[in-house]
Amino acid sequence: MAANMYRVGDYVYFENSSSNPYLVRRIEELNKTANGNVEAKVVCLFRRRDISSSLNSLADSNAREFEEESKQPGVSEQQRHQLKHRELFLSRQFESLPATHIRGKCSVTLLNETDILSQYLEKEDCFFYSLVFDPVQKTLLADQGEIRVGCKYQAEIPDRLAEGESDNRNQQKMEMKVWDPDNPLTDRQIDQFLVVARAVGTFARALDCSSSIRQPSLHMSAAAASRDITLFHAMDTLQRNGYDLAKAMSTLVPQGGPVLCRDEMEEWSASEAMLFEEALEKYGKDFNDIRQDFLPWKSLASIVQFYYMWKTTDRYIQQKRLKAAEADSKLKQVYIPTYTKPNPNQIISVGSKPGMNGAGFQKGLTCESCHTTQSAQWYAWGPPNMQCRLCASCWIYWKKYGGLKTPTQLEGAARGTTEPHSRGHLSRPEAQSLSPYTTSANRAKLLAKNRQTFLLQTTKLTRLARRMCRDLLQPRRAARRPYAPINANAIKAECSIRLPKAAKTPLKIHPLVRLPLATIVKDLVAQAPLKPKTPRGTKTPINRNQLTQNRGLGGIMVKRAYETMAGVGVPFSANGRPLASGIRSSSQPAAKRQKLNPADAPNPVVFVATKDTRALRKALTHLEMRRAARRPNLPLKVKPPLIAVRTPVPLPTPSHPASTNEPIVLED
């Protein structure tokens, strides 16, 4: 009966699938719905199989550091494999689950340095955690609630000084004495001085305008003056004045007026206090998150001091009573009977007794975890085509701890193999990467999604070692072999030896002179290869109408001679199209024309104008230029006396270097 009663704060198993392992959750609230069902608001705890491979490697490194620091005894590979099943990751994620899905209790503890990991394997339903997992940011962080127990957290007490021996320690770094219990004053005199200090504090608040607004009544001012900040100031005043009451009295009331001492409760405004209460309701006593999200202008020490002062106020007592009333209206515990329905993965053949192989399963198969052949009951596990099965004890282990007792390929020990995985027993990113509809690029995105970026920043010692120990580092040799490791510790050790000597003779650092961008562009233009000049001569102009003629049955990818392409020796019609024997000069329909293959196109011809040609173009009249443009296929005949008769026009200076090489259609 007590085992089936589940209360708030218990760690329990939840079953969300008949073939998947149990979910480990912590009950925060038990609420009754309108239908009469009970829902549990729980905190999620994740297993190793629920996080990515990159975070698993981070958890492995954290486990190795823990074993080295705590000096854990050696364990076997199988025990190390089973310890990964006992490790959980706490989170701040909440969810609501039906209470009828609870399948039992378990215990989860924070891992401590004094704990021995092998003890967790000896206990049933026992888990531990040391890292906190953020499902949104996909990060693992150390839990801030670590209990610092161990030899490295103990104070080192020095030996007691002998009589007459002087203390050679630096007194400025030592603690400052703030109160002497062996003072000459009596307890009554000290109490009287504290009353005077409270009275001075009340009078100072009456004179202060801002304090009179916050504490409008005399009772509130007197209550504020009676806090610890006023008493601490009074006792410090006595210590500084050598416990002389007359000097201490004059210090409390200097020439400018009475001294006013305020604490965090008076410094905070009402709106800031409301923000703090809202943040405390959301995050609890996680003061770092409270400061980051709600009060970034306050220091962490100020928030902590305000919290402990806020707990002494009536506001805290009222909220505590409201929470207690809400807790009374909610369920304290719930009774969930033991789940007795058969599992769908249970192998039972028709007309057979428990323990026999099910229908479709081969005889002689062993358990995938313990490799036994004798069991009272068998359960199907893994992909259906693999016909894997587990015995009763290994099935319970799989449901509770999310893994097999011995590492296997199907369970995920060898991820690099080509054997099929059970998508029902893998995490969501791994199952998506095995999908046949996922491309290789998408798989790479899934794998790289959870990787964290990092920055390697060199220290000053490393930068100095690169210059002083170039003979040991040999950077050019190391650059040719990037995968060969460099002994950085030896180089830094050698640098620390050479550094005192090098301080007398400073290093000669040659400054690197960088050329301007304009100079670099000019050098690149000067070094660019020149275009080959085409030989001058009379070239037959290309007829555009020839592009649609039939090229025959020659090779498609073989270039032909220019004479063949231009149709030398073939008569042309009036429109420039070549005429074949026995064929009329009338043009064929456009649908029957064969287009020119780009591979059969002739090489382009570039005409470079000379100085005489450019002068001739300037000497031609506008009418002659228009007449030549209308007939591009006819040669231009210009008499030589034309240049002599007409006055040459001076050519303007070209503004662009490419204008001197402008191709034209004229001939010399």
Side-chain angles (χ1 to χ4, degrees):
M1 185 71 179
N4 294 336
M5 296 295 297
Y6 300 96
R7 299 176 177 85
V8 175
D10 290 345
Y11 290 91
V12 295
Y13 294 118
F14 274 89
E15 185 176 21
N16 65 338
S17 175
S18 59
S19 58
N20 288 343
Y22 292 142
L23 305 176
V24 180
R25 299 291 186 261
R26 185 182 69 198
I27 301 177
E28 290 293 319
E29 294 179 3
L30 292 172
N31 302 318
K32 195 171 183 179
T33 62
N35 300 330
N37 300 327
V38 178
E39 285 190 354
K41 182 182 178 182
V42 296
V43 178
C44 299
L45 289 95
F46 295 88
R47 303 179 190 266
R48 277 179 171 263
R49 63 192 309 273
D50 300 328
I51 63 177
S52 61
S53 57
S54 59
L55 295 181
N56 269 310
S57 60
L58 183 61
D60 291 337
S61 62
N62 179 74
R64 286 192 296 268
E65 293 177 0
F66 174 78
E67 291 179 2
E68 293 175 359
E69 293 178 358
S70 60
K71 299 179 181 180
Q72 294 287 330
V75 293
S76 61
E77 289 297 329
Q78 184 175 358
Q79 289 178 335
R80 191 179 301 277
H81 171 74
Q82 294 178 3
L83 279 173
K84 293 182 179 180
H85 301 157
R86 302 299 184 100
E87 184 178 9
L88 299 177
F89 303 103
L90 186 65
S91 72
R92 311 297 182 192
Q93 180 177 345
F94 293 87
E95 62 181 5
S96 295
L97 297 174
T100 54
H101 290 185
I102 297 177
R103 297 294 181 262
K105 294 182 181 180
C106 61
S107 64
V108 182
T109 57
L110 177 64
L111 187 61
N112 196 5
E113 291 185 357
T114 58
D115 295 340
I116 299 177
L117 293 175
S118 58
Q119 292 181 354
Y120 288 94
L121 299 177
E122 300 173 359
K123 302 176 183 178
E124 289 290 333
D125 306 324
C126 188
F127 300 89
F128 65 88
Y129 77 94
S130 61
L131 300 176
V132 177
F133 174 63
D134 189 353
V136 179
Q137 302 293 335
K138 305 295 182 183
T139 56
L140 278 179
L141 300 175
D143 190 16
Q144 297 179 356
E146 180 184 2
I147 302 175
R148 297 185 175 183
V149 178
C151 58
K152 68 177 184 179
Y153 299 114
Q154 303 300 322
E156 296 181 0
I157 302 176
D159 297 335
R160 187 175 181 179
L161 298 176
E163 295 183 2
E165 185 179 359
S166 60
D167 191 358
N168 299 326
R169 295 175 296 177
N170 189 2
Q171 298 299 325
Q172 295 181 355
K173 296 183 179 179
M174 306 300 293
E175 295 83 358
M176 184 177 62
K177 189 175 183 180
V178 295
W179 183 258
D180 187 7
D182 299 331
N183 57 76
L185 300 178
T186 61
D187 294 341
R188 183 180 179 183
Q189 291 176 332
I190 295 174
D191 294 338
Q192 290 175 349
F193 182 78
L194 294 179
V195 172
V196 173
R198 294 191 191 100
V200 171
T202 305
F203 181 64
R205 283 168 175 79
L207 297 178
D208 187 43
C209 298
S210 59
S211 298
S212 60
I213 295 175
R214 296 182 181 181
Q215 288 93 17
S217 64
L218 180 62
H219 298 284
M220 296 179 64
S221 299
S226 301
R227 293 200 185 102
D228 293 339
I229 187 68
T230 305
L231 302 181
F232 291 160
H233 175 68
M235 298 175 76
D236 291 340
T237 304
L238 284 176
Q239 172 69 19
R240 288 195 303 268
N241 292 276
Y243 298 94
D244 189 351
L245 293 177
K247 293 182 180 180
M249 291 282 188
S250 60
T251 306
L252 287 179
V253 187
Q255 187 176 1
V259 177
L260 177 60
C261 300
R262 292 179 180 175
D263 53 10
E264 295 296 335
M265 186 62 68
E266 292 183 82
E267 293 291 340
W268 286 44
S269 62
S271 59
E272 291 175 342
M274 294 295 292
L275 282 175
F276 175 79
E277 292 178 359
E278 182 181 352
L280 194 67
E281 183 71 21
K282 182 177 181 181
Y283 294 116
K285 291 191 295 184
D286 196 344
F287 299 112
N288 288 319
D289 292 345
I290 292 175
R291 179 177 180 270
Q292 182 177 359
D293 296 344
F294 285 85
L295 299 166
W297 59 89
K298 294 289 184 180
S299 63
L300 189 62
S302 175
I303 295 175
V304 174
Q305 291 180 10
F306 180 80
Y307 168 72
Y308 286 104
M309 291 182 181
W310 175 78
K311 288 184 68 174
T312 61
T313 60
D314 295 337
R315 180 73 176 177
Y316 170 75
I317 298 174
Q318 292 176 3
Q319 290 192 0
K320 196 172 181 180
R321 290 175 180 174
L322 291 176
K323 289 183 178 180
E326 291 179 0
D328 291 339
S329 61
K330 293 181 179 179
L331 298 177
K332 300 290 190 307
Q333 58 185 4
V334 62
Y335 174 80
I336 305 296
T338 305
Y339 188 76
T340 57
K341 293 183 180 180
N343 194 288
N345 294 323
Q346 186 175 352
I347 302 173
I348 299 178
S349 60
V350 180
S352 64
K353 297 180 180 179
M356 302 295 293
N357 293 321
F361 275 75
Q362 301 176 3
K363 295 184 179 181
L365 293 179
T366 60
C367 177
E368 289 293 328
S369 179
C370 62
H371 308 290
T372 183
T373 58
Q374 303 294 330
S375 177
Q377 183 59 51
W378 295 97
Y379 294 87
W381 181 84
N385 59 337
M386 296 296 294
Q387 293 190 353
C388 301
R389 62 179 186 176
L390 296 177
C391 61
S393 61
C394 293
W395 177 258
I396 295 175
Y397 185 92
W398 156 256
K399 294 290 288 183
K400 288 184 176 181
Y401 306 113
L404 301 184
K405 295 180 181 179
T406 55
T408 60
Q409 293 180 353
L410 288 178
E411 198 264 338
R415 300 280 178 166
T417 59
T418 58
E419 291 202 25
H421 294 254
S422 173
R423 192 166 300 161
H425 305 311
L426 297 178
S427 59
R428 182 173 298 177
E430 295 171 344
Q432 291 177 352
S433 64
L434 294 177
S435 174
Y437 303 101
T438 306
T439 60
S440 59
N442 292 335
R443 290 174 187 171
K445 290 180 181 179
L446 288 172
L447 294 177
K449 184 178 180 181
N450 297 332
R451 295 177 182 172
Q452 297 178 353
T453 56
F454 61 92
L455 173 66
L456 299 178
Q457 186 175 4
T458 57
T459 60
K460 293 183 178 180
L461 180 60
T462 305
R463 294 195 292 270
L464 286 173
R466 289 176 181 174
R467 295 185 175 273
M468 298 185 62
C469 303
R470 294 182 66 88
D471 53 340
L472 296 179
L473 181 60
Q474 298 179 356
R476 296 187 62 183
R477 184 186 178 113
R480 297 189 189 100
R481 298 183 297 172
Y483 298 104
I486 298 175
N487 192 355
N489 295 329
I491 295 175
K492 290 182 180 180
E494 183 66 22
C495 177
S496 61
I497 297 175
R498 298 182 185 181
L499 191 58
K501 300 178 182 179
K504 301 177 182 178
T505 59
L507 296 175
K508 296 181 180 180
I509 302 176
H510 301 285
L512 180 61
V513 180
R514 297 185 181 273
L515 297 177
L517 182 60
T519 307
I520 297 174
V521 172
K522 289 181 180 179
D523 295 343
L524 293 176
V525 172
Q527 297 176 5
L530 299 176
K531 295 182 179 180
K533 295 183 179 180
T534 57
R536 297 180 181 177
T538 304
K539 299 293 183 180
T540 305
I542 301 174
N543 191 352
R544 297 179 181 178
N545 296 327
Q546 298 177 14
L547 299 179
T548 58
Q549 65 178 343
N550 192 353
R551 295 296 179 180
L553 301 176
I556 296 178
M557 299 306 295
V558 180
K559 279 197 174 183
R560 301 179 183 179
Y562 177 75
E563 291 78 14
T564 307
M565 304 297 298
V568 178
V570 180
F572 287 85
S573 62
N575 58 359
R577 189 175 291 106
L579 295 175
S581 59
I583 302 178
R584 294 183 179 181
S585 61
S586 60
S587 60
Q588 298 179 357
K592 297 183 179 180
R593 297 174 188 175
Q594 184 178 1
K595 294 184 180 180
L596 176 64
N597 195 312
D600 298 336
N603 295 326
V605 180
V606 180
F607 295 91
V608 181
T610 61
K611 294 183 179 179
D612 297 338
T613 305
R614 290 194 294 271
L616 176 62
R617 185 176 60 181
K618 294 294 181 180
L620 291 175
T621 62
H622 182 66
L623 182 60
E624 292 172 346
M625 292 291 292
R626 292 183 62 183
R627 186 181 303 165
R630 294 192 192 98
R631 295 181 292 178
N633 297 330
L634 297 180
L636 182 65
K637 296 180 180 181
V638 182
K639 296 181 180 180
L642 181 63
I643 302 178
V645 173
R646 294 180 180 176
T647 305
V649 181
L651 298 176
T653 304
S655 59
H656 196 279
S659 62
T660 59
N661 297 332
E662 182 180 0
I664 61 177
V665 192
L666 300 178
E667 295 180 353
D668 290 341

